[in-house]
Amino acid sequence: MMKHYKRHYPYIIISLLFFLICEAGCDKSQSYSELLRDEEQAVNWYLADQNVMMEVPSDPKDIITYQEAGEDAPFYRLDADGYVYMQVVTADFEDMVDEGDVVYFRFSRDNILFLYQDIESAPTGNSDFLAYGPASFVYKNTTLPSSYTWGTGIQMPLKYVGYNSEVNLVLKSYYGFYDEQSSCVPYLMNLRYFKPEY
């Protein structure tokens, strides 16, 4: 009888270790609602130090004035649920983007959860290096892979500013990059929009 247990002893130990590892992993993982809560807290923390406007002016040219340019400009809420906030750094209102137009963009982004938790991290993106390669989308077309890959949030400012504009966005994951939407990580993004050169 004892020999029978000795033969299965390694399997019992391995099963027990596997169970303990699973239990420890389950205790540390967060539910989706908890991740959303953390995202909301981090964004609220960031915006608490900003001038936030709940509506965009009806005339886009009122978005930016000499007193409200760059880092002192307000963040405008771009959607009813508060998933995207825009701060205009520089604006061009002469060369607006029409539906179906190709828009090239450069971006850098910081993880707002890391900022909230005081975790050091370097910005990512293609502003200073082309790790992501050329980035573009077709305005208001979310069926093309080149467009939905980047999410719809980065297209929202183009309702108000045109090519050659620069904005900062507080962007929640819901409107973020397509393959990152379930991660519930909000980003502070700097975006510059360009016209394609033919």
Side-chain angles (χ1 to χ4, degrees):
M1 189 76 170
M2 199 67 158
K3 287 181 181 178
H4 179 71
Y5 284 119
K6 283 185 179 178
R7 190 171 36 163
H8 294 292
Y9 184 72
Y11 299 111
I12 294 169
I13 295 295
I14 290 171
S15 297
L16 183 60
L17 285 173
F18 181 74
F19 174 77
L20 291 173
I21 289 169
C22 286
E23 280 295 305
C26 290
D27 290 343
K28 291 181 181 176
S29 65
Q30 290 182 287
S31 69
Y32 184 66
S33 62
E34 289 172 325
L35 292 172
L36 286 173
R37 182 202 62 214
D38 290 349
E39 179 181 43
E40 183 74 18
Q41 287 177 342
V43 168
N44 289 344
W45 166 83
Y46 181 81
L47 291 175
D49 287 337
Q50 307 296 326
N51 179 13
V52 177
M53 308 295 282
M54 299 310 279
E55 293 182 5
V56 180
S58 55
D59 183 351
K61 291 183 182 177
D62 289 337
I63 288 176
I64 188 167
T65 68
Y66 291 112
Q67 291 80 27
E68 295 182 337
E71 62 185 39
D72 294 327
F75 275 89
Y76 293 96
R77 188 179 67 175
L78 296 188
D79 70 302
D81 296 313
Y83 291 126
V84 185
Y85 294 82
M86 171 186 71
Q87 180 185 54
V88 177
V89 179
T90 58
D92 185 330
F93 302 109
E94 303 305 317
D95 198 0
M96 299 300 284
V97 181
D98 293 320
E99 185 173 346
D101 286 351
V102 175
V103 178
Y104 280 84
F105 66 97
R106 296 198 125 199
F107 74 97
S108 66
R109 64 185 188 155
D110 287 291
N111 182 322
I112 295 177
L113 279 173
F114 285 172
L115 296 174
Y116 178 54
Q117 297 165 355
D118 203 21
I119 298 172
E120 278 193 43
S121 66
T124 59
N126 68 356
S127 279
D128 298 319
F129 55 95
L130 295 176
Y132 284 85
S136 66
F137 56 82
V138 176
Y139 184 48
K140 292 190 175 181
N141 184 330
T142 56
T143 60
L144 295 173
S146 63
S147 294
Y148 73 72
T149 296
W150 304 109
T152 55
I154 65 168
Q155 295 191 24
M156 289 182 180
L158 295 174
K159 179 179 178 181
Y160 308 101
V161 299
Y163 288 111
N164 304 311
S165 296
E166 180 179 355
V167 299
N168 292 323
L169 290 185
V170 171
L171 181 63
K172 290 185 182 177
S173 57
Y174 184 80
Y175 285 123
F177 292 2
Y178 179 76
D179 61 352
E180 298 175 355
Q181 288 176 350
S182 62
S183 65
C184 301
V185 174
Y187 284 96
L188 175 63
M189 293 188 72
N190 174 267
L191 285 152
R192 291 175 288 152
Y193 301 105
F194 303 99
K195 204 165 191 173
E197 295 179 3
Y198 296 106

